[in-house]
Amino acid sequence: MTALKIIGIILLIFLLLGFLRIGALVSFGGALCVKLRVGALWLTVFPKEEKKPKKPKEEKPAEESKKPKKEKKEKKGKKHTFPKPTLEEIIDLIKTALAALKAMVRRACSRVRIDPLELTVTFAGDDPSAVAVAYGMASSAMFTLMPKAEETFYIPDPSLHIRMDFTGGTTTAEGSVGISLRLCDLFAILFTLAIPLFQWFLRLKKAHRHDNKAEKSADPTEDKTNSPEDKIA
C-alpha cells in the first residue's frame, strides 16, 4: 500500500504541475513593464530593481602552500558517430520539420490564452486629414484582424480603442497584453515537434546501421607486426 500511495502522490504532483499556468505580461504607455508569471507568482523582468551595493569582502592572505590538483584521467570510451544523411534524407528531414512546425503552430494557437488584451491608440497631429487617414487605416486593420485572432487564439475579453486628437501633439499608445498557457499545453506543443523529428532520426539510424561494420571491413590498415609468419622468420 505504501508503494501505491507514493505513486499516487507523484501522479497528483504531476497533475497539479500540468495545470500550472505560465506566461508573460507586457504593459506600455507611461513606462514599459515586463513581468513573467509562474502560477500565482509574478516576477518583474523589466525594469530591474536596483540592488543594494554589497560590502566589499576582506581579502584573505594567500596560502603559502597549496595542494596540487589531481589531474583527471580521461575516460576512453566508444565514440558514437552521427550517421551522415544523404540528400534524400535531408529533403525528408526538411519535409518532416515543416509538417511538424505547422502542426505545432496549430496546436500552440489553440492552447494560448491572450488575457488581458487592452490597447488604446490616440492619433494626433497638426493635419486633420492625415489624422483621419491614419484613424481609418487602423480601424480597418482592427476590424479585419481581430475576428481572425479571436478564432485562432483564446481571447476572453479584448478591449481595443482608437481615438483622434486634432489639437496637435503626437500619436500615443498605451495598454497591456498578457500571454499564458498551461504547462501541460507547453509539453503537448513541444511533443508535436519532437516526435516526428525523433521518428526521422530512427529511420536515419536504421538506414545506416551497417555503415560502421562496412568501414571496419574495408579498412586496409591492419597491424601485422605480430603475425605468425614473422615469428617463424
Side-chain angles (χ1 to χ4, degrees):
M1 290 297 293
T2 55
L4 292 175
K5 287 181 179 179
I6 293 171
I7 294 172
I9 292 170
I10 293 172
L11 291 176
L12 181 61
I13 291 171
F14 276 108
L15 184 64
L16 293 175
L17 287 175
F19 285 98
L20 189 69
R21 187 166 289 276
I22 57 175
L25 176 65
V26 180
S27 301
F28 52 93
L32 180 63
C33 181
V34 181
K35 294 182 179 181
L36 295 181
R37 176 187 178 184
V38 181
L41 181 64
W42 289 91
L43 303 174
T44 303
V45 178
F46 184 86
K48 294 182 178 180
E49 296 179 357
E50 296 182 358
K51 296 182 179 180
K52 296 180 180 179
K54 296 181 179 179
K55 295 181 180 179
K57 296 181 180 179
E58 296 180 357
E59 295 182 359
K60 296 181 180 180
E63 296 179 359
E64 295 179 357
S65 60
K66 292 183 178 180
K67 295 181 180 180
K69 295 181 179 178
K70 295 181 179 180
E71 296 181 357
K72 294 182 179 179
K73 295 181 180 180
E74 295 181 357
K75 294 182 180 179
K76 295 182 179 180
K78 294 181 180 179
K79 294 182 179 179
H80 298 280
T81 57
F82 188 83
K84 295 181 180 179
T86 61
L87 180 59
E88 294 178 355
E89 290 167 343
I90 293 174
I91 294 172
D92 184 27
L93 172 62
I94 294 172
K95 291 180 180 178
T96 303
L98 289 175
L101 283 172
K102 289 180 182 178
M104 186 186 72
V105 170
R106 286 196 299 268
R107 178 164 287 188
C109 292
S110 62
R111 294 171 183 263
V112 170
R113 176 189 176 108
I114 301 179
D115 184 39
L117 178 58
E118 299 174 354
L119 179 63
T120 301
V121 180
T122 303
F123 292 97
D126 299 329
D127 187 359
S129 60
V131 173
V133 169
Y135 176 84
M137 293 176 63
S139 299
S140 176
M142 182 180 70
F143 287 109
T144 302
L145 297 176
M146 274 306 298
K148 295 181 180 179
E150 289 179 328
E151 290 177 2
T152 305
F153 303 98
Y154 177 55
I155 309 175
D157 189 18
S159 178
L160 304 178
H161 303 280
I162 301 175
R163 298 170 182 171
M164 291 185 290
D165 183 9
F166 297 109
T167 60
T170 57
T171 301
T172 59
E174 60 181 6
S176 58
V177 180
I179 301 176
S180 65
L181 74 166
R182 293 177 299 181
L183 197 59
C184 60
D185 295 334
L186 178 61
F187 284 123
I189 293 166
L190 294 178
F191 281 137
T192 306
L193 178 63
I195 290 175
L197 295 179
F198 182 69
Q199 291 174 346
W200 175 87
F201 175 74
L202 291 179
R203 293 197 300 269
L204 177 69
K205 195 174 181 181
K206 185 177 180 181
H208 294 269
R209 64 181 181 275
H210 298 301
D211 289 356
N212 293 332
K213 295 180 181 179
E215 289 177 1
K216 288 181 181 179
S217 61
D219 190 3
T221 59
E222 292 181 358
D223 190 9
K224 297 182 180 180
T225 56
N226 296 327
S227 61
E229 295 178 358
D230 293 340
K231 289 182 180 179
I232 295 170

